[in-house]
Amino acid sequence: MSRYIAITDIHGELGKLENVLSKIETRPDDIFVFMGDYIDRGPDSKGVVEKVIEISKQFETITLIGSHEYALLHAKTDDYYDYLFWNYGGPATVKSYGGRFENILATHGNFFRNLKFYHLTNDYLFIHAGIDPRYSLEEQSEVDMVYIRSAFYRNKHNLPQKIIFGHTEFDAPLIQDDKICIDLGCGKYKNAKLCALILDNGKEEFVYSD
């Protein structure tokens, strides 16, 4: 049975991504799930996207959208998301793409436009931020799936799957009966680690960058 390797909220920290990957002894049938926020804040958003694309050529890879990619894709058509992009780390992304906003989608537009909102298996739901526990998966709004916080992680949900998510940073993985958050603040705080979660036939292993 294939393992799932979940990683989220890299935020331009290519060095931390490469470091955590170096600690994982991969298997040919591993499935990588990247749960969004590849960009902003850290120094090499472009390099992170290129690394994820490189991994996708070697392993089955699922790429999900995060709040920062959502803001990026809506920045030119919505003033609110334009504000979010430029005030929550976007300038670092623009710099990594040569100093022009237009270069981002010109270079990796297909990558960003094809990101999924979630990935569902028999045992897990992988998603960036979470779901509104009041509604079914089919009724979730796009905005909640990439932006929801306490209304999700402070309440039980009704899905049979365990939810693996990021978006809200904690000092250590948040482990609850029905959900696990692996965002430790990478890119937001200088010394924050990047965390990978390996799911192997019911076993959960956490791997951290230095």
Side-chain angles (χ1 to χ4, degrees):
M1 188 173 180
S2 298
R3 303 186 305 177
Y4 285 94
I5 301 173
I7 300 174
T8 191
D9 293 84
I10 305 163
H11 284 300
E13 294 285 359
L14 177 60
K16 292 182 180 181
L17 175 60
E18 291 178 331
N19 181 258
V20 81
L21 291 171
S22 73
K23 298 182 177 184
I24 300 171
E25 294 185 10
T26 55
R27 305 172 185 172
D29 63 342
D30 282 338
I31 301 171
F32 279 86
V33 186
F34 291 95
M35 301 186 300
D37 281 7
Y38 313 88
I39 62 170
D40 296 349
R41 296 179 175 150
D44 200 355
S45 292
K46 181 183 178 183
V48 167
V49 173
E50 289 176 341
K51 185 66 177 181
V52 172
I53 293 171
E54 176 188 322
I55 290 169
S56 72
K57 295 176 180 177
Q58 305 171 54
F59 300 91
E60 182 177 347
T61 303
I62 292 120
T63 50
L64 306 184
I65 189 170
S67 55
H68 287 251
E69 291 78 43
Y70 194 86
L72 165 68
L73 291 171
H74 292 82
K76 286 298 183 183
T77 57
D78 187 301
D79 289 344
Y80 175 67
Y81 292 110
D82 187 63
Y83 171 83
L84 291 183
F85 177 80
W86 289 105
N87 287 274
Y88 289 88
T93 299
V94 173
K95 184 177 180 181
S96 77
Y97 280 89
R100 288 174 54 84
F101 179 90
E102 293 75 14
N103 291 350
I104 304 172
L105 295 182
T107 305
H108 287 138
N110 286 340
F111 175 84
F112 290 116
R113 294 188 187 100
N114 287 298
L115 298 172
K116 298 166 52 181
F117 278 92
Y118 63 84
H119 180 69
L120 186 67
T121 74
N122 289 335
D123 300 313
Y124 301 104
L125 171 66
F126 299 91
I127 197 165
H128 178 65
I131 61 171
D132 187 325
R134 298 174 297 175
Y135 304 112
S136 70
L137 185 57
E138 294 73 24
E139 295 173 308
Q140 298 297 317
S141 73
E142 291 183 356
V143 172
D144 277 340
M145 288 189 282
V146 295
Y147 282 105
I148 198 167
R149 292 191 190 272
S150 60
F152 166 62
Y153 71 77
R154 289 181 177 172
N155 296 286
K156 292 276 189 179
H157 62 81
N158 296 313
L159 298 183
Q161 291 86 1
K162 181 176 285 189
I163 297 182
I164 311 300
F165 71 107
H167 184 60
T168 301
E169 71 271 6
F170 295 92
D171 293 335
L174 176 72
I175 303 172
Q176 299 177 352
D177 291 340
D178 62 340
K179 63 179 76 73
I180 297 176
C181 180
I182 57 171
D183 180 4
L184 305 184
C186 179
K188 188 173 183 180
Y189 306 110
K190 181 179 179 180
N191 296 321
K193 298 180 183 297
L194 182 66
C195 176
L197 171 59
I198 302 174
L199 301 165
D200 184 8
N201 197 27
K203 294 184 293 184
E204 300 162 354
E205 178 186 357
F206 298 90
V207 181
Y208 305 95
S209 65
D210 292 334

